[in-house]
Amino acid sequence: ELMRKFALWRVLRWELSPWLETRKVKWVDGRADVGTMEDGGIPPRTPLNAYINNLESMAKSARKLGGEPVFLMLPAPMDQDVVPPPETVRVYRQAMEEVARREQAPLLDGVALFAEKHAGLECFLDQVHPSREGHRLIGEALADLILNSGLPAQAAATTPLKP
């Protein structure tokens, strides 16, 4: 863990990466990037109905706590490939759009945002996580979305974060 903090170690790993074993996240099928039942890969980690229920539950919890839900559809490096993302990804993204619509909650489409900003692979750390630049793009867009969403003033107000 300590070695990851040293620049020399990171550069060395980068340079040696073609010869090092690639570690895959358990639920990512190396043959198809994201496993799907349709293409013979492994099923998604969370079944679609459970995913929809989770989104609805989080929206209700936010409101119960006095807040307003805001949905974020995260982009992924696969969105920049010439081959479109697997059907499963499209279905799950559509489910989020539908829940946001039913909940009358704002949704930031990170896929469209990254395409609009011509954000490349430098905006990702891996197959899932945005880099510092990716987080900056998402954060600025979320701030704009919240401030211009028509949410109640107390929900859209910004609170300074403590260091």
Side-chain angles (χ1 to χ4, degrees):
E1 192 62 33
L2 178 63
M3 291 299 287
R4 293 174 195 243
K5 296 181 181 182
F6 295 112
L8 179 59
W9 172 253
R10 291 192 306 267
V11 169
L12 204 63
R13 285 206 37 96
W14 175 263
E15 292 297 326
L16 294 174
S17 64
W19 297 282
L20 297 175
E21 180 182 348
T22 303
R23 293 185 344 192
K24 288 281 194 180
V25 178
K26 180 180 174 188
W27 50 273
V28 175
D29 178 0
R31 293 167 291 153
D33 221 9
V34 174
T36 65
M37 296 302 287
E38 298 87 24
D39 69 6
I42 59 175
R45 186 167 57 173
T46 304
L48 183 60
N49 286 337
Y51 176 74
I52 291 168
N53 290 338
N54 288 343
L55 293 174
E56 291 170 343
S57 176
M58 287 185 280
K60 286 173 182 44
S61 293
R63 289 193 171 109
K64 186 176 178 180
L65 293 169
E68 288 294 326
V70 176
F71 290 88
L72 167 61
M73 186 180 306
L74 286 172
M78 75 173 89
D79 296 318
Q80 300 179 10
D81 201 344
V82 293
V83 177
E87 179 71 8
T88 301
V89 173
R90 188 184 62 75
V91 168
Y92 277 65
R93 287 175 173 170
Q94 284 179 334
M96 179 181 280
E97 289 174 346
E98 179 57 35
V99 171
R101 198 172 11 264
R102 278 197 313 262
E103 293 291 333
Q104 296 180 339
L107 172 110
L108 174 61
D109 183 344
V111 178
L113 170 71
F114 274 39
E116 174 189 318
K117 300 289 185 182
H118 305 288
L121 292 177
E122 73 280 355
C123 289
F124 297 97
L125 295 175
D126 55 27
Q127 296 175 0
V128 177
H129 302 95
S131 66
R132 177 180 287 182
E133 176 62 12
H135 276 102
R136 184 189 66 74
L137 291 173
I138 291 168
E140 288 176 356
L142 273 174
D144 288 344
L145 176 70
I146 291 168
L147 292 173
N148 298 311
S149 68
L151 292 174
Q154 70 268 24
T158 57
T159 304
L161 297 175
K162 295 179 182 176

